Amino acid sequence: MNRSIPSDMADPVSPLIPLAPGSRIGILGGGQLGAMLAGAASEMGFEPHIYAPESGSPAFQRAGNYSCKAYEDHEALSDFAKAVDIVTYEFENVPIEPLRRIEHLVPVRPGLMALETAQDRLNEKRFLQGVGVPLARFEAVNSTEELAEAVEKIGFPCVLKTRRFGYDGKGQIILRNEGDQHTAFADLGNQPCVLEAFVAFFAETSQIAARSLAGDVSSYEMALNTHQDHILKTTVLPSGLPQPVLAQASAAAAAILHQLDYVGVMGIEFFISGTPDQPALLVNEIAPRVHNSGHWTQDGALIDQFEQHIRAIAGWPLGDGSHHSNVTMTNLIGDDVDNWLLFARDPACRVHLYGKGETRAGRKMGHINTVSAKS
Ligand code: AMP
């Protein structure tokens, strides 16, 4: 069912925009982010369709339609593209080439430019430098010799990171002295890397922001993150950071989104260096998708990040992301999830479980949002 759009609301150039309820939203990736995007899309009257290669993907349970196929299966991906009205993705390592082949069949939002930028740390840093947002000093490194030259420029301590496929602290090594330096490039598999100055930060934060098809930007208030074993553990709102820092983060987010001609929600991670009295923001990385550190919005903001993303890609106006409550989001990692009843006994605690069959150490099994009155 594809309801018609009142003529005064339809885009004169593209009459299918905004997408009407009943339209089909294709989502690449079957993890919890895909599941929550599918949930938001269903609540808005859309028909979500998940495409993911892993059988038993959590998002399959939440969507009426799913295709359990490889991204490289050209025929299956084309069939999927023809069966939906728009395609989005829930993770940034979606292979680019298959997407290029379906781009002429269906709009892909956020676009491929954002994916290409975020998939390669060097591209990402050069892009951020071009936008003019502050970031740690960096150098490209393609060999042990180039690493020595880069260390010469940046100094110890510094962090060597693979350009591709790094996440949750994987694919990176802190170099404190020449001993670390000698083996680091080989330890990371002799692959293209980036060397970054080590940032003596006192806090890590993330800014979740959205940009609509019409180019409007809406930012959530920036929240404070803590990590455990390099995995996000909590996100706290309010962050306690001064207003000018919050404003600087949302201005940086807007500049990044506009420069990428981005449509959808993005997570931008920052280090806060300096001192609590004189904080200085540095962008760490961008994630062109809904973000774990934005889960607090489900129970603390008028319109959460999942609805906001679906609104944006469907060509709808953005919703109001103002927060109405203080929230602490806590990830349930590994067997934390066994305490579900304990969390459920707290009336101020909203329990979100992902329905993953097998509990493994380091696996995100769910999250809780503990809500209190806005301060
Ligand atoms: P990333 O995969 O780049 O987000 O890095 C994972 C974590 O490693 C970050 O959340 C930081 O805690 C730490 N880290 C990464 N880069 C740096 C850096 N340049 N200086 C200090 N810590 C870093």
Side-chain angles (χ1 to χ4, degrees):
M1 167 211 36
N2 218 331
R3 291 189 206 289
S4 62
I5 300 163
S7 56
D8 59 333
M9 281 175 63
D11 184 315
V13 182
S14 175
L16 284 177
I17 292 296
L19 284 183
S23 303
R24 296 144 308 174
I25 308 254
I27 301 170
L28 297 167
Q32 62 269 16
L33 299 178
M36 291 185 273
L37 282 171
S42 299
E43 281 182 21
M44 295 163 74
F46 294 115
E47 290 181 16
H49 183 148
I50 301 286
Y51 190 107
E54 301 87 4
S55 63
S57 291
F60 291 164
Q61 304 163 15
R62 294 281 284 276
N65 297 296
Y66 69 86
S67 306
C68 186
K69 298 281 182 188
Y71 296 116
E72 293 75 16
D73 183 336
H74 182 39
E75 204 178 318
L77 194 65
S78 296
D79 289 346
F80 164 76
K82 287 177 201 151
V84 297
D85 297 297
I86 196 102
V87 167
T88 189
Y89 42 84
E90 59 122 42
F91 70 114
E92 61 267 40
N93 284 320
V94 187
I96 302 268
E97 280 318 309
L99 276 190
R100 244 188 244 303
R101 289 201 231 113
I102 60 162
E103 248 192 328
H104 67 284
L105 297 173
V106 64
V108 179
R109 298 194 188 119
L112 268 57
M113 204 200 328
L115 273 184
E116 282 175 318
T117 305
Q119 284 183 359
D120 181 326
R121 284 189 197 273
L122 185 62
N123 287 353
E124 180 180 52
K125 286 177 190 301
R126 286 181 174 153
F127 163 77
L128 292 168
Q129 207 170 35
V131 174
V133 296
L135 66 161
R137 194 159 170 206
F138 67 93
E139 294 288 334
V141 168
N142 293 302
S143 63
T144 302
E145 293 71 41
E146 282 187 21
L147 175 58
E149 289 164 25
V151 170
E152 192 79 3
K153 290 183 192 151
I154 290 177
F156 294 116
C158 48
V159 187
L160 187 67
K161 300 181 176 179
T162 58
R163 281 174 60 172
R164 290 184 170 272
F165 298 116
Y167 68 98
D168 288 345
K170 295 186 175 67
Q172 59 176 274
I173 299 179
I174 298 178
L175 311 186
R176 301 192 186 278
N177 51 47
E178 281 185 12
D180 296 342
Q181 181 193 319
H182 284 135
T183 51
F185 190 69
D187 288 347
L188 288 180
N190 295 305
Q191 57 179 308
C193 286
V194 181
L195 187 74
E196 258 178 57
F198 184 87
V199 179
F201 58 81
F202 68 86
E204 291 186 82
T205 62
S206 46
Q207 171 72 64
I208 310 296
R211 185 170 178 273
S212 71
L213 199 58
D216 298 319
V217 170
S218 171
S219 291
Y220 293 96
E221 186 168 309
M222 185 163 71
L224 205 59
N225 297 328
T226 66
H227 297 82
Q228 193 178 293
D229 301 328
H230 295 289
I231 302 172
L232 182 70
K233 184 62 189 170
T234 66
T235 300
V236 179
L237 187 97
S239 64
L241 289 164
Q243 193 55 42
V245 174
L246 302 181
Q248 198 192 343
S250 77
I256 291 167
L257 294 175
H258 287 312
Q259 191 67 31
L260 286 170
D261 197 16
Y262 194 85
V263 178
V265 165
M266 175 183 278
I268 299 154
E269 298 178 16
F270 290 93
F271 298 129
I272 316 280
S273 65
T275 61
D277 292 337
Q278 280 199 312
L281 277 178
L282 292 174
V283 177
N284 174 23
E285 61 181 1
I286 62 174
R289 54 174 170 79
V290 286
H291 200 256
N292 190 171
S293 67
H295 291 358
W296 69 265
T297 61
Q298 291 174 304
D299 300 302
L302 290 171
I303 302 296
D304 71 27
Q305 63 163 347
F306 299 101
E307 176 172 340
Q308 196 74 301
H309 185 78
I310 300 294
R311 280 174 173 252
I313 62 165
W316 287 24
L318 296 179
D320 182 349
S322 308
H323 64 285
H324 50 69
S325 301
N326 292 352
V327 186
T328 295
M329 188 287 304
T330 306
N331 269 335
L332 305 180
I333 300 167
D335 54 18
D336 291 348
V337 70
D338 295 345
N339 293 322
W340 59 270
L341 189 54
L342 199 69
F343 306 130
R345 284 194 188 119
D346 176 354
C349 176
R350 186 100 194 282
V351 183
H352 301 260
L353 301 180
Y354 306 150
K356 293 183 180 175
E358 192 194 342
T359 305
R360 286 196 300 266
R363 193 175 198 200
K364 291 174 184 167
M365 304 299 295
H367 64 275
I368 53 172
N369 280 331
T370 308
V371 180
S372 59
K374 186 175 171 181
S375 55

